[in-house]
Amino acid sequence: MDEAPTHKSMETQYVYNMHVAPCGKVDRITKVWHSAWAAAQVGWTPLTSVPVDAENLFHACESGRGWHEVRRFCTRDATFDAQAEPLKDIKTLHGYAEWMKGIATVAMPGSQYDLNSCAFDPKTHTATFFGTFRGTHTGHLEGFPEPTHKSMETQYVYCMHVAPCGKVDRITKVWHSAWAAAQVGWLRPALQGSPHSGVAHSNHIGEYYFTYGSLKRGFPNHAKHEEELSRFVGKATTVEPYPLIVPKEPSCTNPNCPYLHRQPTLMDKVGLGYYVKGEVYAVKADDVKELDVLEGFYGKKHSDNVYFRRHITVRLESGDEVVAHCYFIADHAKKWAELKEGTAECLPEYTSDMAVGELKPGWSGPA
C-alpha cells in the first residue's frame, strides 16, 4: 500500500467459509468482508468524499465556535430542524450555532466531541455525521437549571443538505434529548411514561413545578388553578434544606392572593431550615406564566417582585429526582426579622390548617 500511516484504528467484522478436505485439512477459504467500510475507519479509502464545508461546519458547531465561524460554511439563510424538545423552537442554523455555543462554552466549559463516522450521498446531496458529545454541567446559562456538576455522553446524527455552491443550506439533527438531559440531572427517565406520574414522554427541562404552599391539592388556591395543575406527578421533598417561614397568625402580604391566611414563604438560603415537603406538577410554559401572576413574579430582579422563581432539585417519593420551578420570597429581610421576633416559625411542611383563611376585606382581585 502507498498510503502513509494514519494512526487511526478499525473494528471490522467478517466471515470465513472454510472447506475441509477428506483428509481433514482446509483446502479452500472464502472471506466475506466489507473492506471499504474497514478502510474508511483507518482513513485509507473514504466511502464517499464528504464536502469540506460540511465537515468544517460540523466541527465549528460541536466546538462551540458560534455563528461567527459557522456562517463561513453555510448559506446565509440556512435552516435547522430537530424533533427534540430543547431545540423545537430553533429554525435557523444561526440560532442553533449560538445555542451550541452556549452549551459547549458556558454550560459545559471544556466539553469534548468525537466524529464517529461520516458519509455523503451524491444523489441527494446529503452529508451525514454521527457524533458523540461529552460535557459536565458546571456553568450558569440563562434558561437552564443551576449547575448540577453531572456529566453527559450523548450520541446524535446530523443530516446536512449541501447546496450547488458547496455550502450547507439545511440541517436536521436526530437526537434523544431527554436521555441526555437525564444524565446531567435535568430530567430523570424513570418519570417518563410512569403509570403513576401522568407525565408524557415529551417532558423536558423546565416542565416541572414544585409547590410547598397554598397551591397543593385540597388547599385554597388549588381549585382556581386546576388547569395549570392538572398533571400531578407526586409528593416530593427538597434535596437541600431551606427555611420555610410561616407566620403564627393569619398574615398575607401577597396582593395577588385573595386569602388572609398564614402565608408560607420559602427563603433562598440553602443549608438552613428543613428539607421542605411539597408537590410536583408537570407544567407548560403558559402554565408557568399564570403561576407567575399569582406569585407576583414580574421578572428577574424586578423591584416589584413578591416572589422570584428559580430551579431547584426535589426528590419524589419514588426516589427519582427532578429539576423544578420554585418560588422564593423576594423580601428576605422582613421574613427573617419576623422569625427572630418570634411572630413566625420555621417549618418542614405547610399544612392545610395553616392555609385556612377568609377573603381579604374588600378583595376584588389583583390590582
Side-chain angles (χ1 to χ4, degrees), residues 251-259 263 293-296 298 306-307 360 363:
S251 172
C252 181
T253 57
N254 183 356
N256 304 299
C257 176
Y259 299 103
Q263 176 192 2
V293 173
L294 172 64
E295 305 293 1
Y298 303 102
V306 180
Y307 291 85
K360 292 175 180 176
W363 170 262

Side-chain angles (χ1 to χ4, degrees), residues 317-340:
E317 290 181 319
S318 64
D320 292 303
E321 295 177 5
V322 295
V323 174
H325 292 291
C326 184
Y327 291 90
F328 292 86
I329 193 67
D331 188 353
H332 284 188
K334 182 178 179 181
K335 296 301 176 182
W336 200 248
E338 291 176 359
L339 184 63
K340 289 184 176 180

Side-chain angles (χ1 to χ4, degrees), residues 15 27 67 88 102 112 136-137 151 167 172 177 182 218-219 223 251 265 269-270 280 285 307 314 323 340 343 363 365:
V15 173
D27 62 2
W67 178 243
K88 65 180 182 180
Q112 299 177 329
T136 301
H137 184 207
S151 301
K167 296 184 179 295
T172 298
S177 58
F219 284 62
S251 172
T265 55
K269 290 184 176 292
V270 181
V280 171
Y307 291 85
V314 296
V323 174
K340 289 184 176 180
T343 59
W363 170 262

Side-chain angles (χ1 to χ4, degrees), residues 128-143:
T128 303
F129 298 87
F130 169 40
T132 301
F133 182 89
R134 301 176 184 84
T136 301
H137 184 207
T138 59
H140 297 265
L141 181 62
E142 186 175 355

